[in-house]
Amino acid sequence: MQARSIGDVRVGAIGLGGMPMSIEGRPDEERSVATIHAALDAGVTLIDTADAYHLTAIDVGHNETLIARAVAGYGGDTSEVLIATKGGHLRPGDGSWTQNGSPEYLKRACDASLKRLGVEAIGLYQFHRPDPTVPYADSVGAIRDLLDAGKIRYAGISNANPEQIRLANEILGGRLVSVQNQFSPAFRSSEPELELCAELGIAFLPWSPLGGISNAGRLGSRFAAFQQVAQDHGVSPQQVCLAWMLAKAPVVIPIPGSSRPETIRDSVASAELELSADEFSRLDAA
Ligand SMILES: NC(=O)c1ccc[n+]([C@@H]2O[C@H](COP(=O)([O-])OP(=O)(O)OC[C@H]3O[C@@H](n4cnc5c(N)ncnc54)[C@H](OP(=O)(O)O)[C@@H]3O)[C@@H](O)[C@H]2O)c1
């Protein structure tokens, strides 16, 4: 698979999003492990997770534990695999998502993620979402402290606007390596953040790139241009969607979620799908 950069690490251009394997509707562990192993077989070296990808209050970190176990149990070389996790969101167990961006909490959350992932330093640690009750600079200051303490190798943010991206990069002393925002054919309002990341050379990780767990399968029926280009190439509209994102800028690294080996294999194939300039313009305008 073609490679892209996160900081000075090269990763496969398509990552794996872990969320569908740990929240509502998650499959059994055997299928999840098969999915993660299929991703590794296909050359995926970026796996995105979060401490908040779990169902009930007693299985916090379900996705981190699952991914750590699956990677450890893989037969091949995993030395190049970058596991990217996040802190700052919580799930009390009633289906809701709450937030805590206080520096004390983020440092505790990072320690817990370190234990679950079984590493001395987390590959990429992302502040999950700005907490309106905590100054953004304080939350990002905690991420800087974690970086300085060597508890995380790389620092990222998520759900940030251009002003927050610039502020975070300043607080981190130019060491912000990634921004993870929602971006898909149905949700394009992160274009300014994508463009800013391209300008600054910061990786941009589109989340829910296919429209989210419940909409991903309907991408072709919702967006005729994606269906048409897919038919012309004899591939899935989801593959076309990911190829379109990759073509937008060299900093883009989509992280499609998967809970089945077939879907991550199909997504990885998008890294080899070449779109003509005309196809790209039609998709961009769709
Ligand atoms: N930072 C944030 O706030 C935030 C928020 C949401 C998500 N995320 C991250 O972003 C990742 C991706 O987002 P998402 O999982 O919400 O949505 P998504 O990637 O848009 O959609 C996921 C669904 O797409 C299906 N799929 C994947 N590849 C496919 C293909 N080639 N053909 C057909 N269907 C395909 C999967 O089905 P199967 O399950 O059947 O395999 C999966 O359930 C998450 O897993 C998570 O890591 C971050």
Side-chain angles (χ1 to χ4, degrees):
M1 194 181 355
Q2 57 163 296
R4 299 208 162 181
S5 296
I6 296 186
D8 52 15
V9 169
R10 300 285 285 167
V11 295
I14 296 292
L16 169 67
M19 194 172 78
M21 294 181 278
S22 290
I23 66 164
E24 288 79 357
R26 69 190 187 195
D28 60 34
E29 177 148 338
E30 196 184 337
R31 193 175 106 192
S32 292
V33 170
T35 303
I36 297 162
H37 287 179
L40 296 170
D41 286 345
V44 166
T45 51
L46 170 67
I47 306 181
D48 182 72
T49 179
D51 56 0
Y53 296 163
H54 63 97
L55 266 181
T56 64
I58 56 157
D59 72 345
V60 175
H62 177 276
N63 200 243
E64 292 179 325
T65 307
L66 169 72
I67 287 166
R69 206 157 36 216
V71 170
Y74 183 65
D77 178 18
T78 55
S79 58
E80 304 287 304
V81 174
L82 183 70
I83 298 181
T85 193
K86 314 181 197 80
H89 249 315
L90 296 92
R91 299 203 79 197
D94 59 359
S96 67
W97 296 76
T98 59
Q99 281 168 257
N100 191 340
S102 75
E104 302 71 29
Y105 170 76
L106 290 172
K107 288 176 185 177
R108 276 205 315 278
C110 179
D111 281 340
S113 291
L114 273 166
K115 278 207 193 87
R116 283 190 291 264
L117 293 172
V119 291
E120 277 173 25
I122 289 172
L124 171 61
Y125 196 65
Q126 307 155 97
F127 177 42
H128 208 145
R129 186 179 287 276
D131 178 347
T133 68
V134 178
Y136 195 60
D138 291 0
S139 302
V140 178
I143 307 294
R144 178 201 51 218
D145 292 349
L146 292 168
L147 201 51
D148 290 342
K151 291 194 171 187
I152 66 176
R153 271 174 73 202
Y154 292 101
I157 54 174
S158 181
N159 300 300
N161 63 31
E163 197 187 326
Q164 290 163 334
I165 294 172
R166 289 189 191 279
L167 177 63
N169 200 29
E170 190 187 314
I171 291 168
L172 291 163
R175 293 176 294 170
L176 178 67
V177 299
S178 67
V179 173
Q180 182 177 142
N181 274 15
Q182 185 173 14
F183 187 71
S184 68
F187 191 96
R188 306 211 185 188
S189 61
S190 284
E191 289 268 7
E193 289 85 11
L194 192 162
E195 280 165 24
L196 179 60
C197 285
E199 180 194 320
L200 299 174
I202 291 171
F204 182 85
L205 281 41
W207 67 252
S208 291
L210 304 174
I213 296 173
S214 45
N215 286 318
R218 300 190 295 124
L219 196 144
S221 56
R222 292 175 80 204
F223 298 94
F226 286 80
Q227 182 66 36
Q228 187 57 57
V229 173
Q231 257 166 27
D232 295 346
H233 283 270
V235 300
S236 70
Q238 290 81 6
Q239 231 181 87
V240 170
C241 172
L242 299 169
W244 160 68
M245 286 184 183
L246 290 173
K248 283 187 79 69
V251 295
V252 175
I253 308 174
I255 45 166
S258 261
S259 68
R260 288 182 294 135
E262 307 87 271
T263 50
I264 186 59
R265 278 191 212 111
D266 185 68
S267 295
V268 165
S270 66
E272 313 307 327
L273 179 63
E274 285 197 26
L275 301 171
S276 68
D278 173 59
E279 287 170 333
F280 178 80
S281 315
R282 275 159 47 210
L283 297 169
D284 223 34

